[in-house]
Amino acid sequence: RKEPLFPFALRHLLTSSISQDLMYCWRSQLYADATIVVECAPGTPFAVHRAVLAARTPYFGALLTGEYSDSNCTTFALPSPPFTPAATTFVLGWMYGGSLQSIERRFDLDTACGIWRCAAFLAADSLQKEVEEQLLAMMSSTRAARILAFARAVDVRSEELAAKAMEFLVERFDSSWTASPHVGQLSYADQSALVQRVGD
């Protein structure tokens, strides 16, 4: 027996409404009780709510509610790298709005990679997954090799993302290899693997 559409639509409406309300609280700084500062980026404080930070990320959850928590802390300094003002804006938009799409602007490949590393720092697995989905959507002849290099980085090691980027490069042997110099800047192992797969 199929579930009626109304309950699903109602749930979606309520979720959307809550996200909008939280985004309003963040943007208006309504009852904000803490500040995030990005190190090495003076003049970029973000007014935030400790309850949202603790609820949305394991890092802040442990920091604010764990056994050795400092629940009275009002200023949090985040390291740069990986945090930058742009990446932090998207991360906070995800925390409050529930999605990277909550921020009504696009991000480039470097910012996307930065957001992924911020998510890793915060132990926000679902944000990392969303960024990887965005990277796949951004895949192009000029970006594929850069995405592959990012996926192979020692602090990333995303085998699924690397496999998709490798597949994209192999399928577009002519265009993607000459569209930018980035294929030639890949590791020798990745270059060898690409040549082998094209040969196969």
Side-chain angles (χ1 to χ4, degrees):
R1 186 177 178 181
K2 292 184 178 180
E3 182 182 1
L5 292 178
F6 178 72
F8 172 79
L10 181 60
R11 285 197 302 271
H12 177 73
L13 181 62
L14 288 174
T15 301
S16 176
S17 177
I18 291 170
S19 297
Q20 291 174 7
D21 291 343
L22 286 173
M23 288 295 290
Y24 171 76
C25 289
W26 175 45
R27 287 173 171 152
S28 67
Q29 303 182 17
L30 182 66
Y31 296 116
D33 58 0
T35 301
I36 284 180
V37 177
V38 178
E39 293 177 354
C40 304
T44 57
F46 297 88
V48 293
H49 303 78
R50 287 176 295 178
V52 174
L53 301 184
R56 291 290 283 153
T57 63
Y59 172 81
F60 281 113
L63 194 65
L64 291 168
T65 65
E67 183 179 356
Y68 302 104
S69 67
D70 185 356
S71 59
N72 296 318
C73 187
T74 58
T75 301
F76 304 101
L78 296 175
S80 179
F83 289 89
T84 62
T88 304
T89 298
F90 279 103
V91 170
L92 290 173
W94 173 84
M95 285 188 192
Y96 282 83
S99 167
L100 289 173
Q101 307 304 319
S102 301
I103 302 294
E104 296 177 355
R105 65 182 182 186
R106 302 179 68 180
F107 47 79
D108 59 19
L109 183 57
D110 287 337
T111 302
C113 295
I115 295 169
W116 191 98
R117 288 185 163 101
C118 293
F121 180 90
L122 298 171
D125 295 344
S126 58
L127 176 55
Q128 287 176 276
K129 183 174 179 57
E130 186 174 344
V131 172
E132 291 191 15
E133 291 171 356
Q134 292 292 323
L135 287 172
L136 290 175
M138 296 168 70
M139 194 87 71
S140 69
S141 295
T142 57
R143 296 187 185 121
R146 293 171 63 195
I147 292 173
L148 175 58
F150 167 75
R152 292 285 197 226
V154 294
D155 62 332
V156 179
R157 296 192 184 279
S158 174
E159 293 303 321
E160 182 178 354
L161 183 60
K164 294 288 180 62
M166 182 81 72
E167 180 181 347
F168 187 98
L169 287 165
V170 171
E171 290 177 351
R172 292 162 181 79
F173 168 62
D174 290 335
S175 61
S176 61
W177 291 34
T178 58
S180 71
H182 299 293
V183 171
Q185 296 168 356
L186 291 169
S187 68
Y188 178 76
D190 281 331
Q191 290 185 38
S192 298
L194 284 170
V195 172
Q196 179 66 51
R197 289 188 58 178
V198 169
D200 292 342

